[in-house]
Amino acid sequence: MTNRQARDGREIGWNDVVRFRLPADWSMEVEEHEGHAVAAFRPPPPAGGVLRLVTDRVTPRPDSGGVEAVLQEMALRFVRPDDPRAGDRTVEPHRDGVIAQAVMHTEEDGRAEVHYLWLIGSDRDGRASVAMFSVALPAILDGDESCAVMLGQVDGLVRDAEIL
C-alpha cells in the first residue's frame, strides 16, 4: 500500500492495480483473509463500519470472448444475481471498463450486517484488472446519518478511482 498526502485526503495505491483518494482522517491497516492481504480503512467516529479492498487481475482464456467479456462476467457474478440476500444491483459501463454495485444483508458471527459492494474494472495490458470495495456496517447503523455521509464518500472515491 502506498500513502501520499494529497490535496483532498491521501492518495492510496493498492497492489499496483488501483489508486484512489481517501479522506485524510480515515485510519488504514492491512488485514489477512484466507491468506490474502486486504486493505482496510475506517472512518472517524461517529461513522461506523469498515471499507475493505481487494484486487485481481485475470488473463482471459482464448475461448472467453476477450477482456471485455471477462469484465462483464466478473461484474455480473459480483452482484450475485441469484442470491436473495443481495439487492440494489447495477452493472454499468464506467470510463474504459465497468462498475458494479450491490447491497447485501448478512449475518456474521450472529450479528446482522449490511455490506455495500462496488467493483470497478478495466482492460489493462490484455488482462481484466479489478478493484472490489466493500463497506460492512452493523445493520443497526444502516440509515444512520453519519453512515450515509460515509457511504456517499465511498461511492465518490470508488467512482473516481483509477485502475492502473
Side-chain angles (χ1 to χ4, degrees), residues 6 32 37 72 94 137:
E32 187 175 318
Q72 192 67 22
H94 181 69
L137 290 173

Side-chain angles (χ1 to χ4, degrees), residues 70 74 98 116:
V70 169
M74 291 175 81
V98 66
Y116 290 83

Side-chain angles (χ1 to χ4, degrees), residues 1-3 11-21 28-33 36-41 51-57 129-133 161-164:
M1 178 171 12
T2 61
N3 176 3
E11 188 174 276
I12 306 294
W14 183 249
N15 283 348
D16 297 324
V17 173
V18 65
R19 183 174 35 238
F20 61 97
R21 194 169 254 107
M28 302 180 302
E29 60 188 59
V30 177
E31 301 174 345
E32 187 175 318
H33 291 275
H36 300 283
V38 176
F41 309 96
L51 168 65
R52 291 187 173 89
L53 167 64
V54 296
T55 59
D56 199 6
R57 290 189 194 267
S129 296
V130 297
M132 295 161 280
F133 296 84
E162 177 186 4
I163 298 295
L164 306 174

